[in-house]
Amino acid sequence: LVVAEGRLFESTGREGASTVREVDPGTGQVLDEAPLAPDEFGEGLTVTDDGRLVQLTWTEGIAYEGDLDSLERLGDFRYEGEGWGLSTLDDGTLVMTDGSDALTLRDPEDFSVLESRLVQRVGGDVDQLNELEWDGEALWANRYQTDELLRIDLECATVTGVADLAALREDAAAVALEAGTPIDVTNGIAHLPGTDRY
């Protein structure tokens, strides 16, 4: 998930059904979408400083660039390893996860690796770092297969807080089950710019 210019964008991941799409933040209605190839699994999504969408693929090693308004593909980047989460920092640098405890800083122009940092946490695990969101002060990361949302100080790559999303997931799971669309895990975060809301 990412919010840009007041609009909500989502990367969906499922082989044969992965998309990048714009979603109405109030209703969840899909306003526009563009599919990935049937054998590709969509993952992390961000918007660069110059307004390009960048969407990771899980195991294909491809990050796609797209137009914010049309969702039309503009190009792609290649990378080694898995792609899980992606966010844009204040200086335009991209930060990416691969399902481990590592954060990889990347150049937004060519996706080259600038630096890698291993996240540390006192009294808890930091593996399976997934979806990311930079709020201007801290990096937030979902831990896959858990209800934990980690607040990370990017300078020292240390967890400084943990939000327990279990109650939120339980509420969402009950609504989804009633609607006949069961959900899997807590995954996805978007900061609402100019607010303290996510």
Side-chain angles (χ1 to χ4, degrees):
L1 300 173
V2 65
V3 174
E5 300 174 4
R7 299 159 65 192
L8 178 62
F9 296 89
E10 180 181 26
S11 171
T12 67
R14 197 166 10 135
E15 287 185 1
S18 290
T19 65
V20 60
R21 60 193 191 179
E22 183 176 355
V23 179
D24 184 300
T27 66
Q29 176 186 1
V30 176
L31 303 174
D32 194 11
E33 68 181 337
L36 272 67
D39 61 342
E40 294 176 333
F41 193 107
E43 278 290 346
L45 181 70
T46 194
V47 175
T48 62
D49 281 354
D50 60 358
R52 292 173 289 133
L53 286 164
V54 179
Q55 180 185 27
L56 299 177
T57 56
W58 179 29
T59 58
E60 292 76 28
I62 305 170
Y64 290 112
E65 292 181 284
D67 180 77
L68 200 62
D69 292 321
S70 68
L71 305 182
E72 179 183 343
R73 191 168 293 162
L74 302 173
D76 60 64
F77 302 115
R78 303 295 168 141
Y79 57 89
E80 296 292 321
E82 294 184 358
W84 286 45
L86 191 65
S87 192
T88 302
L89 305 177
D90 289 340
D91 66 359
T93 301
L94 304 180
V95 59
M96 177 178 159
T97 57
D98 62 5
S100 69
D101 59 351
L103 299 173
T104 302
L105 302 176
R106 293 184 174 273
D107 187 304
E109 298 305 316
D110 61 10
F111 218 64
S112 61
V113 174
L114 302 172
E115 182 182 349
S116 288
R117 300 177 186 171
L118 295 181
V119 178
Q120 300 187 28
R121 175 181 176 186
V122 175
D125 295 325
V126 289
D127 60 335
Q128 300 198 85
L129 296 179
N130 197 5
E131 165 71 346
L132 296 174
E133 183 69 7
W134 174 253
D135 69 5
E137 295 181 12
L139 185 68
W140 294 86
N142 283 118
R143 275 192 67 232
Y144 185 58
Q145 297 289 350
T146 77
D147 291 322
E148 291 185 333
L149 185 62
L150 306 181
R151 183 182 63 207
I152 301 168
D153 180 322
L154 196 54
E155 286 300 312
C156 59
T158 300
V159 174
T160 60
V162 180
D164 181 350
L165 303 181
L168 180 64
R169 181 191 42 78
E170 289 167 9
D171 289 348
V175 170
L177 186 61
E178 188 174 302
T181 56
I183 62 172
D184 185 16
V185 296
T186 304
N187 187 21
I189 178 173
H191 176 243
L192 302 176
T195 76
D196 60 356
R197 299 180 64 206
Y198 298 84

